[in-house]
């Protein structure tokens, strides 16, 4: 029988071509930026996307302190954590996080959009968030991307 045979090509650590990209978070909405960055880190934009392999890009986010929320989320949204002690539930608003550690707002949003397993924890190491215009990854020659 004369038929065409197609083989599914799966990426692995050796064949995945990972790039470095820079994203400017100035005046970007947190959730919209986070979902696009999470897809980039995961590698879903690539034709050889493989769900169980780290085939995404390394993403550098600058100007993390200049992000914005829509509506009243800056004051009404609540980040909840627990100290581990009885009665140790603590609450914080995005305004408080942006004053103390602005990069954590984006890191928290993006981490929530990655898989909740070993791969997700490894993918999160491909994210670098910085306040201000500068970053220490100039040697990787990252490409600037607009979302």
């Amino acid at each position: 029988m004369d038929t065409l045979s197609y083989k599914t090509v799966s990426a692995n650590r050796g064949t995945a071509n990972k790039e470095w990209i820079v994203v400017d978070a100035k005046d970007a909405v947190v959730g919209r930026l986070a979902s696009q960055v999470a897809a980039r880190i995961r590698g879903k934009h690539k034709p050889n996307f493989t769900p169980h392999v780290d085939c995404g890009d390394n993403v550098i986010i600058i100007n993390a302190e200049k992000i914005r929320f829509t509506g009243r989320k800056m004051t009404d949204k609540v980040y909840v954590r627990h100290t581990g002690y009885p009665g140790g539930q603590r609450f914080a608003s995005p305004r408080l996080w942006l004053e103390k550690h602005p990069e954590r707002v984006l890191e928290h949003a993006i981490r929530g959009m990655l898989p909740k397993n070993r791969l997700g924890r490894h993918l999160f190491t491909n994210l670098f968030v910085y306040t201000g215009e500068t970053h220490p990854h100039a040697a990787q020659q990252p490409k600037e991307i607009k979302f």
Side-chain angles (χ1 to χ4, degrees):
M1 187 166 186
D2 208 15
T3 61
L4 288 175
S5 176
Y6 294 103
K7 295 195 181 203
T8 302
V9 178
S10 293
N12 59 35
R13 190 178 296 169
T15 61
N17 64 344
K18 298 172 68 66
E19 298 175 352
W20 285 80
I21 62 170
V22 174
V23 177
D24 191 358
K26 186 176 180 184
D27 295 329
V29 178
V30 174
R32 294 170 196 266
L33 178 68
S35 62
Q36 291 169 332
V37 168
R40 278 281 177 169
I41 291 173
R42 188 90 201 277
K44 291 202 146 196
H45 65 288
K46 296 188 177 183
N48 64 345
F49 168 68
T50 308
H52 64 280
V53 176
D54 174 15
C55 55
D57 295 336
N58 294 299
V59 179
I60 304 162
I61 300 178
I62 56 174
N63 291 323
E65 75 282 2
K66 296 179 182 169
I67 56 171
R68 65 184 181 90
F69 285 89
T70 57
R72 292 190 214 151
K73 292 188 200 92
M74 188 65 82
T75 55
D76 292 355
K77 183 176 174 63
V78 177
Y79 293 112
V80 182
R81 67 182 181 88
H82 201 283
T83 63
Y85 289 95
Q89 197 171 25
R90 301 289 185 257
F91 305 96
S93 69
R95 175 159 293 160
L96 183 68
W97 274 21
L98 282 171
E99 288 170 5
K100 290 188 175 185
H101 306 283
E103 59 279 348
R104 285 192 192 164
V105 174
L106 272 173
E107 287 175 353
H108 185 269
I110 294 168
R111 177 180 276 143
M113 296 179 185
L114 293 175
K116 279 68 172 178
N117 54 24
R118 278 184 290 179
L119 177 64
R121 289 188 295 275
H122 179 71
L123 290 172
F124 187 69
T125 63
N126 296 335
L127 175 68
F128 304 90
V129 184
Y130 299 103
T131 57
E133 293 277 338
T134 60
H135 61 84
H137 304 285
Q140 279 71 33
Q141 299 169 347
K143 289 186 241 170
E144 178 127 8
I145 291 195
K146 293 268 187 202
F147 285 129

